[in-house]
Amino acid sequence: MSLFVQSLILGILLGGLYALLASGLTLYFGVMRVVQIAHSAFLILAAYLAWFFATSTGLDALLSLVITVPLFFVVGVGLQRLLITRLKPATLTMMSVLLTFAIALIIEGMLGFVFTGVQRRIHFSYGSASVPLFGAEVPVVKLVAFALAVLALGGLWLILKRTEFGQALRATIQNKEAAQLIGINTDRVASYGFGLGLATAAVGGTALAMDATIYPSLHWHWIGPLMAIIVVGGLGSVPGAAIAAMVLGVAQSLLQIPLGTTWAQTVFYVALFVTLMVRPQGFFGGRLAQRF
């Protein structure tokens, strides 16, 4: 029973991290119909920057967010304005896959050149600590990563729901042409939306680095599950991605008990297959897939 409770709690914490990692990915598609293959590569880049900050300064890696979040936002705005807008609208979705695939390879090569292929891990003063929770022992770093994910997703929700920019962003996601008719500068909204998505990668990468060993090619391990999450949740739907991430995170953690770590990972691909066969628009919102 205690093993089940432990797996359930760890699954919830893992689901929160998945929700954060996938939120930016679904934003790109929602605002610009862009499939951002390089999102997971930016996650690993943020993880490396957090590791470099911690080892260089001796400070907590979480403080690196003060630098990486605005940096990634600016990089995202620049990428959208300099590269994404040059793609032809008729082939935007397919060409964005090729373009961002190239960006992912560049980031991986750059990380390998600068940091080599040696595996890295951030050491925290509370790295080996754990707390009892409902009879289970939960590592403190997982709780901190989950809290970071909750704060980031809460901030994203406030931006989307409570700000004028968030209203413009949601209007652009729902219907770009109608948003233009009521005076919204959808190009500017798209660039800021891309920057916002990349800023979530900065937070997600730092949270990921708290409890994982990182290496340059690690992003290929993440892109499949993250793509599955946004398809199951509904393309373009941030709440849908969050719900799907939580469900699949818990399912993966519970399946590790009878199946082991490797086979439990297949739950993402089974869910993706079932979604595409039964409900291609996703189970938790998002109508954008019906247009493609």
Side-chain angles (χ1 to χ4, degrees):
M1 183 63 181
S2 60
L3 181 60
F4 175 80
V5 174
Q6 177 107 13
S7 297
L8 181 62
I9 293 174
L10 292 179
I12 293 172
L13 299 180
L14 183 63
L17 179 60
Y18 281 153
L20 174 60
L21 300 183
S23 60
L25 201 57
T26 203
L27 262 183
Y28 305 129
F29 192 88
V31 179
M32 293 159 289
R33 318 301 185 251
V34 167
V35 181
Q36 227 287 51
I37 298 293
H39 184 72
S40 56
F42 279 106
L43 290 173
I44 306 306
L45 175 60
Y48 266 98
L49 292 177
W51 170 84
F52 181 74
F53 176 86
T55 53
S56 301
T57 65
L59 301 175
D60 195 301
L62 293 177
L63 295 175
S64 67
L65 291 171
V66 177
I67 301 172
T68 55
V69 169
L71 175 64
F72 274 47
F73 177 81
V74 172
V75 170
V77 172
L79 278 178
Q80 196 277 335
R81 292 185 176 179
L82 295 176
L83 298 177
I84 302 298
T85 53
R86 297 179 184 276
L87 301 178
K88 295 180 179 179
T91 58
L92 176 61
T93 303
M94 178 57 68
M95 294 306 295
S96 67
V97 172
L98 300 177
L99 174 63
T100 56
F101 181 80
I103 294 174
L105 291 178
I106 292 171
I107 293 174
E108 180 183 344
M110 182 184 66
L111 290 176
F113 178 77
V114 176
F115 297 105
T116 74
V118 175
Q119 297 187 354
R120 313 284 183 177
R121 192 177 183 89
I122 300 176
H123 297 285
F124 295 91
S125 57
Y126 45 85
S128 59
S130 61
V131 294
L133 190 64
F134 301 111
E137 288 293 326
V138 181
V140 172
V141 288
K142 290 186 181 296
L143 289 173
V144 174
F146 181 76
L148 189 61
V150 170
L151 288 174
L153 287 172
L156 184 61
W157 183 85
L158 287 175
I159 291 174
L160 291 176
K161 292 289 187 181
R162 303 296 185 189
T163 67
E164 187 175 340
F165 165 70
Q167 293 176 351
L169 188 63
R170 286 188 290 127
T172 304
I173 291 175
Q174 292 172 2
N175 194 312
K176 183 178 179 180
E177 290 75 19
Q180 290 173 331
L181 288 176
I182 61 174
I184 295 175
N185 187 336
T186 55
D187 290 335
R188 186 171 60 186
V189 168
S191 64
Y192 290 170
F194 203 97
L196 188 61
L198 213 58
T200 66
V203 183
T206 304
L208 175 66
M210 296 185 70
D211 192 36
T213 300
I214 57 175
Y215 48 91
S217 61
L218 179 61
H219 63 104
W220 299 120
H221 170 80
W222 282 95
I223 191 63
L226 295 183
M227 283 293 179
I229 287 170
I230 67 169
V231 171
V232 173
L235 293 170
S237 171
V238 175
I243 296 172
M246 192 61 72
V247 171
L248 292 176
V250 172
Q252 180 195 4
S253 184
L254 293 178
L255 286 174
Q256 285 179 359
I257 300 175
L259 300 179
T261 304
T262 302
W263 282 104
Q265 187 83 3
T266 59
V267 68
F268 291 98
Y269 306 104
V270 172
L272 176 62
F273 177 76
V274 172
T275 302
L276 293 177
M277 291 294 294
V278 178
R279 191 176 167 83
Q281 68 271 32
F283 284 99
F284 305 105
R287 299 185 296 273
L288 294 176
Q290 295 173 340
R291 305 178 190 174
F292 295 89

